Amino acid sequence: MEIRFLVLGEVAVTVDSAPVELESVMVRGLLGTLLLHPNQFVPAHQLTLALWDVPPASAASNLRTYASRLRRAFERSDRRLTERLTARRGSGYRLNLTAAGLDERAFRELARAGRQHLYRANFALAVDSLVRGLALWRGQAGDDVPPHGLIREQLRALNEGRLVATEDLVEARLALGDTAHLVTDLRPYIARYPLRERAYGQLMRALYRTGNPAEALAVYNRLRRVLGTELGTDPGRELQLIHRAVLRQDDAAVAATRLGHLSLAA
């Protein structure tokens, strides 16, 4: 029996690829919160804050109801699933998982491996790890759960990790010379995430390397306008260095920025 717990998109559980039917958004919210704290006891008061911005008077009773519904959903699918959910009477719950059974864990491991390969200039290996990690995503993390207190920042951090991995993949593809395709890929990415400075720099470098320095400079000017309007700031030091290198048409200086914003700690 293969059990998969999924949080990189809609919260879900599958048993041998068959989905476990979860009754409501609140049951999925409870499951999603436990998945973000695998193998940890999560106290009832923290779960309450994850499910409601303003908990109702019946929150404790409702939480027990949602936990019972989650347990029944597990039992209907495969009784062995119920062993994964443990409770301390009246005080909280814990979901017992293996690292291989949670898509979030698998993504983090592949993204970390991809970044290590990139840092060590093993670009083909970086592409392989990052492509496999990003393929685990099915939408925004926790797309169908109420994003309240406890899990709001964790979901934000997970989605940010997806963007960082996406940009790491772009970095590896740039190093392998896949510039023409990257110009096509990066334009809609920047349109969707207009404050991602690293992606602007990657698009500038891709455009420059495909013989379009004027377009690269236009991208920089667009970033400067966006940052000025949205944040009241200028592009960061690295973007300024790329801008000056493009202005001088200094191939070596443009190439020297290829691992910008990259460290193993990120």
Side-chain angles (χ1 to χ4, degrees), residues 99-149:
L102 178 58
D103 62 352
E104 181 265 349
R105 287 280 185 90
F107 166 72
R108 286 189 186 278
E109 290 175 4
L110 287 164
R112 187 180 302 113
R115 175 157 285 243
Q116 289 172 341
H117 289 313
L118 182 56
Y119 185 82
R120 294 165 183 156
N122 297 322
F123 301 120
L125 292 175
V127 168
D128 177 70
S129 293
L130 292 163
V131 166
R132 287 190 289 127
L134 290 165
L136 297 172
W137 287 79
R138 297 163 291 111
Q140 293 290 296
D143 205 23
D144 58 340
V145 301
H148 298 317

Side-chain angles (χ1 to χ4, degrees), residues 85-178:
L85 181 63
T86 58
R88 292 181 186 173
R89 184 171 180 82
S91 61
Y93 300 90
R94 169 188 172 118
L95 194 60
N96 302 299
L97 305 176
T98 62
L102 178 58
D103 62 352
E104 181 265 349
R105 287 280 185 90
F107 166 72
R108 286 189 186 278
E109 290 175 4
L110 287 164
R112 187 180 302 113
R115 175 157 285 243
Q116 289 172 341
H117 289 313
L118 182 56
Y119 185 82
R120 294 165 183 156
N122 297 322
F123 301 120
L125 292 175
V127 168
D128 177 70
S129 293
L130 292 163
V131 166
R132 287 190 289 127
L134 290 165
L136 297 172
W137 287 79
R138 297 163 291 111
Q140 293 290 296
D143 205 23
D144 58 340
V145 301
H148 298 317
L150 178 67
I151 60 174
R152 182 184 289 117
E153 283 305 304
Q154 289 174 290
L155 292 175
R156 186 204 64 77
L158 258 182
N159 288 315
E160 171 67 16
R162 181 189 189 183
L163 299 183
V164 170
T166 299
E167 291 161 16
D168 283 349
L169 176 58
V170 169
E171 201 67 53
R173 291 173 61 194
L174 270 171
L176 292 172
D178 190 16

Side-chain angles (χ1 to χ4, degrees), residues 71-86:
R71 192 181 298 279
R72 285 200 301 272
F74 284 175
E75 187 170 2
R76 283 195 300 268
S77 178
D78 192 300
R79 297 193 65 175
R80 287 169 291 182
L81 258 179
T82 60
E83 301 168 2
R84 302 294 187 96
L85 181 63
T86 58

Side-chain angles (χ1 to χ4, degrees), residues 2 26 46 60 64-65 78-79 87 90 101 108 112 146 154 161 170 174 187 189 198 206 225 231 240 260:
E2 181 187 36
M26 299 303 279
Q46 290 188 23
R64 290 192 295 271
T65 298
D78 192 300
R79 297 193 65 175
R108 286 189 186 278
R112 187 180 302 113
Q154 289 174 290
V170 169
L174 270 171
R187 289 192 188 279
Y189 180 82
R198 186 185 183 197
R225 289 194 300 271
L231 304 177
Q240 294 177 30

